[in-house]
Amino acid sequence: MSSTGVVREWRFGDDWGVFDSQDCPGGAYATEQSLRVEAVADLSQPIPSMGLRPGTEVEFEWTEAVEPIKGMRYLVADAWPRATTTAAPPLHSTRAFSTSLWISVGEPGPDGLTLMRQDLHKAVVAAIDCPPPDVPSTVGTVQQWFDDEGWGVFDSPSIPGGVWTHYSAVVGTGFRRLHPGQAVEFTYEHAWQDGYEFRAVSVKEL
């Protein structure tokens, strides 16, 4: 479903925010992974996270969550500031392997946040014209899973220290959830995320 709304709040330290819309009573839960076209980030932080300023008008696509996330029944899949719609359409690729390049634009504002813009040309080239990268694959089990935040950690004998994963990497539609102890097959990449050295790219339930 597609809607328009306003950013109620964004928690940069936790990488999530809330959108208010008539179509989503009580608010819609959004994460950094759902942002397209333009966002803002505090580049002075060791590991900057992107988000949106409260009050920003947005267009977004959403689904109903299997279970409420932080009290909200709606989950944002893709979101972009309304002011950017005429400049460039939001990028959304259904390919398992796609990438997105974000670049900073200008100097930080009074709130310390810098405008970030998605390089749609390079992102589309990476998602459509290039073959999928050769990423390793393995099997493992779900160590922990946080339904309210949509992420968890896998254990695998071949990857010490655990593998971070977001629900959007799990093959399927809507809000996907996993359970501790569940067996999974997944591809992964070397990328620091929330203290973990590896991140899952695509996950299949076994």
Side-chain angles (χ1 to χ4, degrees), residues 4-192:
T4 59
V6 176
V7 179
R8 180 199 306 172
E9 64 174 313
W10 194 276
R11 302 190 181 190
F12 284 88
D14 298 321
D15 300 332
W16 64 273
V18 182
F19 297 170
D20 285 323
S21 170
Q22 291 184 345
D23 298 324
C24 303
Y29 177 83
T31 66
E32 178 180 355
Q33 288 81 11
S34 65
L35 301 180
R36 304 284 181 264
V37 186
E38 281 189 2
V40 291
D42 185 351
L43 299 182
S44 68
Q45 296 300 310
I47 304 178
S49 64
M50 291 192 300
L52 294 169
R53 290 185 174 97
T56 300
E57 294 186 348
V58 291
E59 295 188 38
F60 62 99
E61 297 176 358
W62 56 271
T63 61
E64 287 199 42
V66 175
E67 291 188 1
I69 306 172
K70 299 189 182 300
M72 290 168 277
R73 297 185 297 119
Y74 306 96
L75 177 67
V76 176
D78 294 293
W80 56 97
R82 292 192 69 184
T84 64
T85 304
T86 56
L91 171 69
H92 179 75
S93 172
T94 57
R95 291 175 61 100
F97 301 99
S98 61
T99 187
S100 179
L101 176 67
W102 290 83
I103 56 176
S104 60
V105 180
E107 298 296 323
D111 55 6
L113 300 176
T114 300
L115 179 65
M116 305 294 291
R117 191 164 289 151
Q118 192 175 23
D119 191 323
L120 294 173
H121 174 69
K122 292 183 178 179
V124 169
V125 169
I128 298 175
D129 296 336
C130 299
D134 183 17
V135 294
S137 176
T138 189
V139 294
T141 56
V142 180
Q143 176 194 116
Q144 52 187 336
W145 190 261
F146 304 98
D147 277 337
D148 59 339
E149 298 180 3
W151 68 278
V153 179
F154 297 161
D155 279 329
S156 175
S158 60
I159 312 172
V163 178
W164 187 94
T165 187
H166 188 256
Y167 84 90
S168 61
V170 181
V171 175
T173 59
F175 183 77
R176 280 84 79 192
R177 60 187 303 186
L178 299 173
H179 306 279
Q182 183 176 0
V184 290
E185 179 181 4
F186 60 95
T187 58
Y188 61 95
E189 63 184 356
H190 188 275
W192 285 99

